[in-house]
Short mmCIF file of all heavy atoms in Angstrom, two decimals:
data_model
loop_
_atom_site.label_atom_id
_atom_site.label_comp_id
_atom_site.label_asym_id
_atom_site.label_seq_id
_atom_site.Cartn_x
_atom_site.Cartn_y
_atom_site.Cartn_z
N MET A 1 158.38 -61.10 112.79
CA MET A 1 159.46 -60.29 113.18
C MET A 1 158.96 -58.92 113.48
O MET A 1 158.10 -58.31 112.86
CB MET A 1 160.51 -60.22 112.11
CG MET A 1 161.71 -59.44 112.50
SD MET A 1 163.05 -59.77 111.25
CE MET A 1 164.45 -59.60 112.34
N VAL A 2 159.52 -58.33 114.60
CA VAL A 2 159.12 -56.98 115.02
C VAL A 2 159.89 -55.96 114.40
O VAL A 2 161.15 -55.98 114.26
CB VAL A 2 159.34 -56.85 116.61
CG1 VAL A 2 159.00 -55.47 117.12
CG2 VAL A 2 158.40 -57.84 117.34
N ASP A 3 159.20 -54.94 113.87
CA ASP A 3 159.83 -53.72 113.27
C ASP A 3 160.23 -52.86 114.50
O ASP A 3 159.36 -52.23 115.04
CB ASP A 3 158.82 -52.96 112.29
CG ASP A 3 159.48 -51.73 111.84
OD1 ASP A 3 160.50 -51.15 112.30
OD2 ASP A 3 158.82 -51.12 110.82
N SER A 4 161.50 -52.86 114.86
CA SER A 4 161.93 -52.25 116.10
C SER A 4 161.63 -50.81 116.18
O SER A 4 161.33 -50.30 117.22
CB SER A 4 163.30 -52.61 116.48
OG SER A 4 164.19 -52.08 115.55
N GLY A 5 161.81 -50.14 115.02
CA GLY A 5 161.61 -48.72 115.02
C GLY A 5 160.16 -48.32 115.31
O GLY A 5 159.85 -47.46 116.09
N ARG A 6 159.24 -49.06 114.60
CA ARG A 6 157.84 -48.87 114.76
C ARG A 6 157.35 -49.27 116.17
O ARG A 6 156.56 -48.57 116.86
CB ARG A 6 157.06 -49.57 113.67
CG ARG A 6 155.59 -49.13 113.51
CD ARG A 6 154.92 -49.87 112.41
NE ARG A 6 155.61 -49.30 111.19
CZ ARG A 6 155.09 -49.51 109.91
NH1 ARG A 6 154.18 -50.37 109.84
NH2 ARG A 6 155.70 -48.92 108.89
N ALA A 7 157.87 -50.41 116.67
CA ALA A 7 157.56 -50.92 117.93
C ALA A 7 158.04 -49.92 119.03
O ALA A 7 157.34 -49.70 120.00
CB ALA A 7 158.14 -52.33 118.17
N GLU A 8 159.24 -49.49 118.90
CA GLU A 8 159.75 -48.57 119.83
C GLU A 8 158.92 -47.25 120.04
O GLU A 8 158.57 -46.86 121.10
CB GLU A 8 161.20 -48.15 119.55
CG GLU A 8 161.93 -47.31 120.69
CD GLU A 8 163.36 -47.17 120.41
OE1 GLU A 8 163.96 -48.04 119.76
OE2 GLU A 8 163.89 -46.24 120.96
N HIS A 9 158.44 -46.75 118.84
CA HIS A 9 157.59 -45.61 118.86
C HIS A 9 156.29 -45.93 119.63
O HIS A 9 155.86 -45.08 120.40
CB HIS A 9 157.31 -45.09 117.41
CG HIS A 9 156.39 -43.91 117.37
ND1 HIS A 9 156.81 -42.70 117.67
CD2 HIS A 9 155.08 -43.91 117.01
CE1 HIS A 9 155.78 -41.92 117.51
NE2 HIS A 9 154.76 -42.60 117.17
N ALA A 10 155.68 -47.07 119.27
CA ALA A 10 154.43 -47.46 119.93
C ALA A 10 154.57 -47.59 121.43
O ALA A 10 153.75 -47.17 122.20
CB ALA A 10 153.89 -48.81 119.27
N LEU A 11 155.68 -48.19 121.82
CA LEU A 11 156.00 -48.36 123.31
C LEU A 11 156.15 -47.03 124.02
O LEU A 11 155.80 -46.89 125.13
CB LEU A 11 157.14 -49.43 123.48
CG LEU A 11 156.86 -50.84 123.09
CD1 LEU A 11 158.06 -51.63 122.88
CD2 LEU A 11 155.88 -51.41 124.10
N HIS A 12 156.92 -46.07 123.35
CA HIS A 12 157.08 -44.79 123.93
C HIS A 12 155.72 -44.25 124.26
O HIS A 12 155.42 -43.74 125.39
CB HIS A 12 157.76 -43.83 122.99
CG HIS A 12 159.26 -43.81 123.09
ND1 HIS A 12 160.06 -44.68 122.39
CD2 HIS A 12 160.04 -42.98 123.78
CE1 HIS A 12 161.29 -44.42 122.72
NE2 HIS A 12 161.34 -43.33 123.48
N GLU A 13 154.82 -44.31 123.29
CA GLU A 13 153.51 -43.71 123.46
C GLU A 13 152.69 -44.36 124.57
O GLU A 13 152.02 -43.78 125.37
CB GLU A 13 152.72 -43.74 122.13
CG GLU A 13 153.22 -42.80 121.19
CD GLU A 13 152.38 -42.74 119.83
OE1 GLU A 13 151.42 -43.53 119.72
OE2 GLU A 13 152.71 -41.91 119.02
N LEU A 14 152.71 -45.72 124.52
CA LEU A 14 152.02 -46.51 125.59
C LEU A 14 152.59 -46.20 127.00
O LEU A 14 151.75 -45.98 127.94
CB LEU A 14 152.08 -47.97 125.29
CG LEU A 14 151.22 -48.58 124.20
CD1 LEU A 14 151.66 -50.01 123.91
CD2 LEU A 14 149.79 -48.55 124.54
N ALA A 15 153.84 -46.24 127.20
CA ALA A 15 154.46 -45.96 128.46
C ALA A 15 154.12 -44.57 128.95
O ALA A 15 153.75 -44.41 130.14
CB ALA A 15 155.97 -46.25 128.39
N LEU A 16 154.24 -43.56 128.15
CA LEU A 16 154.05 -42.27 128.52
C LEU A 16 152.56 -41.85 128.77
O LEU A 16 152.28 -41.06 129.62
CB LEU A 16 154.60 -41.30 127.54
CG LEU A 16 156.14 -41.26 127.34
CD1 LEU A 16 156.62 -40.36 126.23
CD2 LEU A 16 156.82 -40.91 128.69
N ALA A 17 151.67 -42.64 128.13
CA ALA A 17 150.24 -42.45 128.32
C ALA A 17 149.75 -42.75 129.77
O ALA A 17 148.78 -42.35 130.23
CB ALA A 17 149.42 -43.30 127.29
N GLU A 18 150.63 -43.58 130.45
CA GLU A 18 150.30 -43.99 131.85
C GLU A 18 150.60 -42.91 132.87
O GLU A 18 150.15 -43.00 133.96
CB GLU A 18 151.03 -45.24 132.18
CG GLU A 18 150.75 -46.44 131.31
CD GLU A 18 149.40 -47.02 131.66
OE1 GLU A 18 149.00 -47.03 132.79
OE2 GLU A 18 148.81 -47.39 130.65
N TRP A 19 151.23 -41.87 132.37
CA TRP A 19 151.73 -40.80 133.39
C TRP A 19 151.05 -39.48 133.05
O TRP A 19 150.99 -39.03 131.91
CB TRP A 19 153.22 -40.65 133.31
CG TRP A 19 153.88 -41.87 133.82
CD1 TRP A 19 154.36 -42.92 132.93
CD2 TRP A 19 154.12 -42.31 135.13
NE1 TRP A 19 154.88 -43.93 133.71
CE2 TRP A 19 154.79 -43.51 135.08
CE3 TRP A 19 153.97 -41.68 136.36
CZ2 TRP A 19 155.28 -44.19 136.14
CZ3 TRP A 19 154.45 -42.32 137.48
CH2 TRP A 19 155.08 -43.54 137.33
N PRO A 20 150.60 -38.71 134.05
CA PRO A 20 150.10 -37.34 133.85
C PRO A 20 151.23 -36.42 133.39
O PRO A 20 152.39 -36.68 133.79
CB PRO A 20 149.49 -36.92 135.20
CG PRO A 20 150.32 -37.70 136.18
CD PRO A 20 150.67 -39.08 135.51
N PRO A 21 150.95 -35.40 132.68
CA PRO A 21 151.91 -34.42 132.27
C PRO A 21 152.76 -33.90 133.49
O PRO A 21 154.02 -33.68 133.29
CB PRO A 21 151.16 -33.29 131.60
CG PRO A 21 150.01 -33.93 131.16
CD PRO A 21 149.57 -35.05 132.17
N ALA A 22 152.25 -33.71 134.62
CA ALA A 22 152.97 -33.15 135.72
C ALA A 22 154.13 -34.09 136.15
O ALA A 22 155.02 -33.64 136.83
CB ALA A 22 151.97 -32.95 136.90
N ALA A 23 153.99 -35.37 135.83
CA ALA A 23 155.01 -36.32 136.21
C ALA A 23 156.33 -36.13 135.41
O ALA A 23 157.34 -36.54 135.71
CB ALA A 23 154.60 -37.73 136.09
N GLU A 24 156.25 -35.35 134.25
CA GLU A 24 157.36 -35.08 133.38
C GLU A 24 158.15 -36.43 133.09
O GLU A 24 159.35 -36.41 133.16
CB GLU A 24 158.34 -34.05 134.04
CG GLU A 24 157.67 -32.72 134.16
CD GLU A 24 158.58 -31.63 134.86
OE1 GLU A 24 159.68 -31.96 135.20
OE2 GLU A 24 158.11 -30.56 134.87
N ALA A 25 157.47 -37.43 132.85
CA ALA A 25 157.97 -38.76 132.46
C ALA A 25 158.66 -38.71 131.14
O ALA A 25 158.12 -38.03 130.15
CB ALA A 25 156.97 -39.87 132.52
N ARG A 26 159.83 -39.39 131.00
CA ARG A 26 160.50 -39.48 129.70
C ARG A 26 161.07 -40.91 129.54
O ARG A 26 161.51 -41.42 130.61
CB ARG A 26 161.50 -38.37 129.53
CG ARG A 26 162.62 -38.37 130.41
CD ARG A 26 163.56 -37.20 130.20
NE ARG A 26 164.54 -37.20 131.20
CZ ARG A 26 165.78 -37.78 131.18
NH1 ARG A 26 166.01 -38.45 130.09
NH2 ARG A 26 166.71 -37.63 132.07
N VAL A 27 161.04 -41.43 128.50
CA VAL A 27 161.65 -42.76 128.20
C VAL A 27 163.09 -42.60 128.03
O VAL A 27 163.57 -41.79 127.20
CB VAL A 27 161.01 -43.41 126.95
CG1 VAL A 27 161.70 -44.70 126.57
CG2 VAL A 27 159.48 -43.54 127.09
N ILE A 28 163.93 -43.40 128.68
CA ILE A 28 165.29 -43.36 128.52
C ILE A 28 165.85 -44.61 127.76
O ILE A 28 166.95 -44.60 127.31
CB ILE A 28 166.09 -43.18 129.89
CG1 ILE A 28 165.72 -44.29 130.92
CG2 ILE A 28 165.78 -41.84 130.46
CD1 ILE A 28 166.61 -44.23 132.09
N SER A 29 165.10 -45.74 127.72
CA SER A 29 165.54 -46.82 126.96
C SER A 29 164.35 -47.82 126.70
O SER A 29 163.35 -47.88 127.41
CB SER A 29 166.68 -47.63 127.64
OG SER A 29 166.17 -48.34 128.72
N VAL A 30 164.48 -48.46 125.60
CA VAL A 30 163.55 -49.50 125.17
C VAL A 30 164.43 -50.65 124.67
O VAL A 30 165.30 -50.50 123.85
CB VAL A 30 162.62 -49.08 123.99
CG1 VAL A 30 161.67 -50.28 123.65
CG2 VAL A 30 161.80 -47.90 124.45
N SER A 31 164.16 -51.94 125.20
CA SER A 31 164.87 -53.05 124.79
C SER A 31 163.93 -54.20 124.58
O SER A 31 162.92 -54.25 125.15
CB SER A 31 166.04 -53.37 125.72
OG SER A 31 165.48 -53.67 127.01
N PHE A 32 164.32 -55.05 123.59
CA PHE A 32 163.42 -56.19 123.17
C PHE A 32 164.15 -57.51 123.36
O PHE A 32 165.30 -57.61 123.19
CB PHE A 32 163.16 -56.01 121.71
CG PHE A 32 162.39 -54.78 121.29
CD1 PHE A 32 163.14 -53.66 120.76
CD2 PHE A 32 161.04 -54.71 121.34
CE1 PHE A 32 162.48 -52.53 120.52
CE2 PHE A 32 160.40 -53.50 120.99
CZ PHE A 32 161.13 -52.50 120.56
N VAL A 33 163.40 -58.47 123.91
CA VAL A 33 163.84 -59.90 123.96
C VAL A 33 162.58 -60.66 123.55
O VAL A 33 161.65 -60.86 124.24
CB VAL A 33 164.18 -60.30 125.36
CG1 VAL A 33 164.52 -61.73 125.39
CG2 VAL A 33 165.38 -59.39 125.97
N GLY A 34 162.72 -61.14 122.27
CA GLY A 34 161.50 -61.93 121.66
C GLY A 34 160.33 -61.06 121.68
O GLY A 34 160.38 -59.89 121.30
N PRO A 35 159.19 -61.58 122.22
CA PRO A 35 157.94 -60.88 122.16
C PRO A 35 157.71 -59.93 123.41
O PRO A 35 156.68 -59.39 123.67
CB PRO A 35 156.90 -61.93 122.14
CG PRO A 35 157.52 -63.00 123.06
CD PRO A 35 159.04 -62.95 122.61
N THR A 36 158.82 -59.69 124.11
CA THR A 36 158.83 -58.87 125.37
C THR A 36 159.66 -57.61 125.18
O THR A 36 160.65 -57.65 124.55
CB THR A 36 159.28 -59.67 126.56
OG1 THR A 36 158.56 -60.91 126.68
CG2 THR A 36 159.16 -58.86 127.89
N ALA A 37 159.18 -56.52 125.75
CA ALA A 37 159.89 -55.28 125.70
C ALA A 37 159.98 -54.71 127.07
O ALA A 37 159.01 -54.78 127.83
CB ALA A 37 159.17 -54.33 124.73
N GLU A 38 161.15 -54.11 127.38
CA GLU A 38 161.38 -53.43 128.62
C GLU A 38 161.51 -51.92 128.32
O GLU A 38 162.28 -51.57 127.46
CB GLU A 38 162.66 -53.92 129.31
CG GLU A 38 163.06 -53.17 130.54
CD GLU A 38 164.48 -53.47 131.04
OE1 GLU A 38 165.39 -52.93 130.49
OE2 GLU A 38 164.48 -54.22 131.96
N VAL A 39 160.71 -51.10 128.96
CA VAL A 39 160.75 -49.68 128.78
C VAL A 39 161.14 -49.06 130.14
O VAL A 39 160.49 -49.26 131.17
CB VAL A 39 159.41 -49.04 128.33
CG1 VAL A 39 159.47 -47.56 128.23
CG2 VAL A 39 158.93 -49.76 127.08
N VAL A 40 162.25 -48.35 130.12
CA VAL A 40 162.79 -47.64 131.33
C VAL A 40 162.45 -46.13 131.19
O VAL A 40 162.75 -45.56 130.19
CB VAL A 40 164.27 -47.92 131.56
CG1 VAL A 40 164.72 -47.21 132.85
CG2 VAL A 40 164.52 -49.41 131.53
N LEU A 41 161.82 -45.64 132.23
CA LEU A 41 161.51 -44.16 132.26
C LEU A 41 162.18 -43.42 133.46
O LEU A 41 162.57 -44.17 134.41
CB LEU A 41 159.96 -44.03 132.39
CG LEU A 41 159.10 -44.59 131.33
CD1 LEU A 41 158.55 -45.95 131.84
CD2 LEU A 41 158.02 -43.70 131.01
N VAL A 42 162.29 -42.19 133.28
CA VAL A 42 162.63 -41.31 134.41
C VAL A 42 161.32 -40.41 134.74
O VAL A 42 160.85 -39.85 133.72
CB VAL A 42 163.80 -40.44 134.11
CG1 VAL A 42 163.95 -39.41 135.27
CG2 VAL A 42 165.08 -41.26 134.05
N VAL A 43 160.86 -40.47 135.94
CA VAL A 43 159.72 -39.74 136.33
C VAL A 43 160.01 -38.72 137.37
O VAL A 43 160.88 -38.93 138.28
CB VAL A 43 158.66 -40.73 136.84
CG1 VAL A 43 157.35 -40.02 137.28
CG2 VAL A 43 158.38 -41.88 135.87
N ASN A 44 159.48 -37.53 137.24
CA ASN A 44 159.74 -36.46 138.16
C ASN A 44 161.20 -36.06 138.22
O ASN A 44 161.70 -35.61 139.28
CB ASN A 44 159.20 -36.73 139.58
CG ASN A 44 157.71 -36.75 139.60
OD1 ASN A 44 156.98 -36.06 138.90
ND2 ASN A 44 157.21 -37.71 140.35
N GLY A 45 161.96 -36.29 137.06
CA GLY A 45 163.30 -35.89 136.99
C GLY A 45 164.38 -36.78 137.62
O GLY A 45 165.46 -36.72 137.23
N ASP A 46 164.02 -37.67 138.50
CA ASP A 46 164.99 -38.55 139.11
C ASP A 46 164.60 -39.89 139.56
O ASP A 46 165.30 -40.61 140.23
CB ASP A 46 165.60 -37.81 140.35
CG ASP A 46 164.66 -37.59 141.50
OD1 ASP A 46 163.49 -37.78 141.25
OD2 ASP A 46 165.09 -37.19 142.55
N TYR A 47 163.38 -40.28 139.34
CA TYR A 47 162.82 -41.55 139.82
C TYR A 47 162.74 -42.51 138.58
O TYR A 47 162.03 -42.26 137.66
CB TYR A 47 161.40 -41.30 140.37
CG TYR A 47 160.73 -42.58 140.89
CD1 TYR A 47 161.04 -43.13 142.06
CD2 TYR A 47 159.69 -43.17 140.14
CE1 TYR A 47 160.45 -44.33 142.51
CE2 TYR A 47 159.10 -44.24 140.61
CZ TYR A 47 159.47 -44.84 141.76
OH TYR A 47 158.80 -45.95 142.19
N GLU A 48 163.48 -43.62 138.63
CA GLU A 48 163.42 -44.51 137.54
C GLU A 48 162.27 -45.57 137.67
O GLU A 48 162.02 -45.96 138.85
CB GLU A 48 164.78 -45.31 137.42
CG GLU A 48 165.89 -44.39 136.98
CD GLU A 48 167.19 -45.17 136.68
OE1 GLU A 48 167.27 -46.39 137.05
OE2 GLU A 48 168.15 -44.58 136.17
N TYR A 49 161.67 -45.89 136.57
CA TYR A 49 160.52 -46.79 136.63
C TYR A 49 160.62 -47.69 135.36
O TYR A 49 160.94 -47.32 134.35
CB TYR A 49 159.19 -45.94 136.61
CG TYR A 49 158.05 -46.67 136.96
CD1 TYR A 49 157.65 -46.86 138.30
CD2 TYR A 49 157.10 -47.24 135.99
CE1 TYR A 49 156.53 -47.64 138.60
CE2 TYR A 49 155.95 -47.86 136.38
CZ TYR A 49 155.71 -48.07 137.74
OH TYR A 49 154.65 -48.83 138.08
N TRP A 50 160.33 -49.01 135.60
CA TRP A 50 160.35 -50.03 134.59
C TRP A 50 159.00 -50.47 134.18
O TRP A 50 158.18 -50.75 135.02
CB TRP A 50 161.21 -51.24 135.02
CG TRP A 50 162.64 -50.98 134.97
CD1 TRP A 50 163.55 -51.52 134.12
CD2 TRP A 50 163.43 -50.25 135.93
NE1 TRP A 50 164.84 -51.13 134.45
CE2 TRP A 50 164.72 -50.34 135.51
CE3 TRP A 50 163.13 -49.57 137.09
CZ2 TRP A 50 165.78 -49.77 136.28
CZ3 TRP A 50 164.17 -48.86 137.76
CH2 TRP A 50 165.46 -49.06 137.41
N MET A 51 158.68 -50.67 132.95
CA MET A 51 157.45 -51.23 132.37
C MET A 51 157.82 -52.35 131.37
O MET A 51 158.71 -52.09 130.58
CB MET A 51 156.67 -50.09 131.69
CG MET A 51 156.31 -48.95 132.62
SD MET A 51 155.42 -47.60 131.74
CE MET A 51 153.76 -48.32 131.83
N TYR A 52 157.07 -53.44 131.56
CA TYR A 52 157.31 -54.56 130.67
C TYR A 52 156.08 -54.78 129.90
O TYR A 52 154.98 -54.92 130.40
CB TYR A 52 157.72 -55.76 131.49
CG TYR A 52 159.02 -55.60 132.13
CD1 TYR A 52 159.14 -54.94 133.45
CD2 TYR A 52 160.22 -55.98 131.55
CE1 TYR A 52 160.33 -54.78 134.03
CE2 TYR A 52 161.44 -55.75 132.11
CZ TYR A 52 161.58 -55.17 133.34
OH TYR A 52 162.73 -54.93 133.95
N PHE A 53 156.25 -54.96 128.52
CA PHE A 53 155.11 -55.20 127.64
C PHE A 53 155.35 -56.55 126.90
O PHE A 53 156.50 -56.89 126.61
CB PHE A 53 155.07 -54.12 126.68
CG PHE A 53 154.68 -52.73 127.20
CD1 PHE A 53 155.60 -51.92 127.71
CD2 PHE A 53 153.35 -52.26 127.25
CE1 PHE A 53 155.33 -50.63 128.26
CE2 PHE A 53 153.02 -51.12 127.80
CZ PHE A 53 154.02 -50.28 128.27
N THR A 54 154.24 -57.24 126.58
CA THR A 54 154.30 -58.41 125.80
C THR A 54 153.51 -58.14 124.50
O THR A 54 152.42 -57.52 124.56
CB THR A 54 153.68 -59.61 126.58
OG1 THR A 54 154.40 -59.76 127.83
CG2 THR A 54 153.80 -60.85 125.78
N ARG A 55 154.02 -58.62 123.41
CA ARG A 55 153.38 -58.50 122.18
C ARG A 55 152.37 -59.64 122.04
O ARG A 55 152.58 -60.82 122.06
CB ARG A 55 154.29 -58.52 120.93
CG ARG A 55 153.77 -58.18 119.68
CD ARG A 55 154.86 -57.80 118.72
NE ARG A 55 154.28 -57.45 117.41
CZ ARG A 55 153.85 -56.22 117.09
NH1 ARG A 55 153.89 -55.30 117.89
NH2 ARG A 55 153.37 -56.08 115.87
N ASP A 56 151.08 -59.17 121.75
CA ASP A 56 150.02 -60.08 121.56
C ASP A 56 149.45 -59.81 120.15
O ASP A 56 148.75 -58.85 119.98
CB ASP A 56 148.87 -59.81 122.61
CG ASP A 56 147.74 -60.75 122.46
OD1 ASP A 56 147.82 -61.74 121.81
OD2 ASP A 56 146.62 -60.38 122.97
N ASP A 57 149.88 -60.62 119.17
CA ASP A 57 149.53 -60.42 117.73
C ASP A 57 150.09 -59.09 117.35
O ASP A 57 151.35 -58.95 117.30
CB ASP A 57 148.01 -60.45 117.39
CG ASP A 57 147.46 -61.90 117.64
OD1 ASP A 57 148.19 -62.90 117.37
OD2 ASP A 57 146.33 -62.07 118.10
N ALA A 58 149.33 -58.04 116.99
CA ALA A 58 149.82 -56.78 116.60
C ALA A 58 149.81 -55.68 117.70
O ALA A 58 150.01 -54.56 117.35
CB ALA A 58 149.02 -56.35 115.39
N THR A 59 149.55 -56.10 118.94
CA THR A 59 149.37 -55.14 120.00
C THR A 59 150.29 -55.34 121.18
O THR A 59 150.58 -56.46 121.48
CB THR A 59 147.95 -55.18 120.48
OG1 THR A 59 147.05 -55.14 119.45
CG2 THR A 59 147.63 -54.17 121.60
N TRP A 60 150.85 -54.27 121.70
CA TRP A 60 151.67 -54.42 122.86
C TRP A 60 150.77 -54.25 124.11
O TRP A 60 149.90 -53.38 124.16
CB TRP A 60 152.80 -53.34 122.96
CG TRP A 60 153.79 -53.54 121.88
CD1 TRP A 60 153.90 -52.98 120.72
CD2 TRP A 60 154.87 -54.42 122.03
NE1 TRP A 60 155.03 -53.49 120.00
CE2 TRP A 60 155.61 -54.35 120.88
CE3 TRP A 60 155.39 -55.32 123.07
CZ2 TRP A 60 156.84 -55.07 120.70
CZ3 TRP A 60 156.54 -56.06 122.80
CH2 TRP A 60 157.25 -55.95 121.56
N VAL A 61 150.96 -55.18 125.08
CA VAL A 61 150.07 -55.18 126.29
C VAL A 61 151.05 -55.08 127.54
O VAL A 61 151.97 -55.81 127.61
CB VAL A 61 149.27 -56.46 126.42
CG1 VAL A 61 148.40 -56.53 127.59
CG2 VAL A 61 148.40 -56.59 125.11
N LEU A 62 150.67 -54.23 128.42
CA LEU A 62 151.43 -53.98 129.62
C LEU A 62 151.35 -55.32 130.48
O LEU A 62 150.23 -55.81 130.78
CB LEU A 62 150.99 -52.87 130.48
CG LEU A 62 151.75 -52.57 131.73
CD1 LEU A 62 153.15 -52.24 131.55
CD2 LEU A 62 151.01 -51.53 132.63
N ASP A 63 152.51 -55.92 130.74
CA ASP A 63 152.46 -57.16 131.54
C ASP A 63 152.71 -56.90 133.05
O ASP A 63 152.01 -57.37 133.84
CB ASP A 63 153.65 -58.00 130.94
CG ASP A 63 153.66 -59.44 131.53
OD1 ASP A 63 152.61 -59.93 132.10
OD2 ASP A 63 154.74 -60.06 131.65
N HIS A 64 153.72 -56.14 133.31
CA HIS A 64 153.98 -55.72 134.69
C HIS A 64 154.85 -54.48 134.70
O HIS A 64 155.47 -54.16 133.69
CB HIS A 64 154.55 -56.78 135.52
CG HIS A 64 155.85 -57.36 135.09
ND1 HIS A 64 155.98 -58.25 134.01
CD2 HIS A 64 157.09 -57.08 135.54
CE1 HIS A 64 157.23 -58.44 133.90
NE2 HIS A 64 157.91 -57.79 134.72
N ASP A 65 154.88 -53.84 135.82
CA ASP A 65 155.65 -52.61 136.04
C ASP A 65 156.06 -52.41 137.46
O ASP A 65 155.53 -53.03 138.29
CB ASP A 65 154.95 -51.35 135.46
CG ASP A 65 153.69 -51.04 136.12
OD1 ASP A 65 153.02 -51.99 136.79
OD2 ASP A 65 153.19 -50.01 135.96
N GLY A 66 157.03 -51.54 137.74
CA GLY A 66 157.41 -51.35 139.03
C GLY A 66 158.63 -50.39 139.14
O GLY A 66 159.18 -49.96 138.13
N ASN A 67 159.15 -50.17 140.36
CA ASN A 67 160.27 -49.25 140.56
C ASN A 67 161.63 -49.85 140.53
O ASN A 67 162.59 -49.30 140.94
CB ASN A 67 160.03 -48.59 141.94
CG ASN A 67 160.13 -49.52 143.07
OD1 ASN A 67 160.07 -50.78 142.88
ND2 ASN A 67 160.13 -49.00 144.29
N GLY A 68 161.69 -51.06 139.84
CA GLY A 68 163.02 -51.76 139.64
C GLY A 68 162.92 -52.75 138.49
O GLY A 68 161.83 -53.10 138.08
N PRO A 69 164.05 -53.15 137.91
CA PRO A 69 163.96 -54.09 136.87
C PRO A 69 163.53 -55.45 137.35
O PRO A 69 163.68 -55.81 138.55
CB PRO A 69 165.37 -54.17 136.42
CG PRO A 69 166.18 -53.61 137.50
CD PRO A 69 165.34 -52.71 138.31
N SER A 70 162.86 -56.22 136.51
CA SER A 70 162.49 -57.62 136.93
C SER A 70 162.81 -58.58 135.81
O SER A 70 163.11 -58.25 134.70
CB SER A 70 161.06 -57.71 137.26
OG SER A 70 160.23 -57.35 136.22
#
C-alpha cells in the first residue's frame, strides 16, 4: 500500500526537478490509481502539463508526460 502523503511529496520533487527555475513550475494536483500517479503542473504561469509516474518497488519512475491528460 502507498503512503499517499509521502508519495505525494516524492512526486512533487520528481516532477519539479524536470523544470528549470525560470519555468516557475508548480504542482496543482497529484492523484493515484493503483501503482500509477498523475501529476498536473502549471508552467510559466498559464501552461498546464501532465506527468505520469509508475511505482517500481519503492521508486517512482516517469512513464510518460505531455501537454494534455492521457
Side-chain angles (χ1 to χ4, degrees):
M1 180 168 214
V2 173
D3 175 349
S4 61
R6 194 172 290 186
E8 188 169 335
H9 178 76
L11 288 162
H12 269 86
E13 288 184 0
L14 285 170
L16 293 175
E18 298 290 320
W19 296 93
E24 298 180 355
R26 64 184 175 86
V27 174
I28 58 172
S29 73
V30 177
S31 57
F32 300 95
V33 176
T36 304
E38 176 189 78
V39 180
V40 183
L41 300 99
V42 171
V43 182
N44 294 324
D46 65 350
Y47 180 76
E48 290 187 353
Y49 196 80
W50 282 256
M51 300 177 82
Y52 294 88
F53 295 86
T54 302
R55 190 161 178 84
D56 181 18
D57 293 325
T59 306
W60 288 99
V61 178
L62 180 62
D63 185 27
H64 61 282
D65 58 341
N67 61 353
S70 61

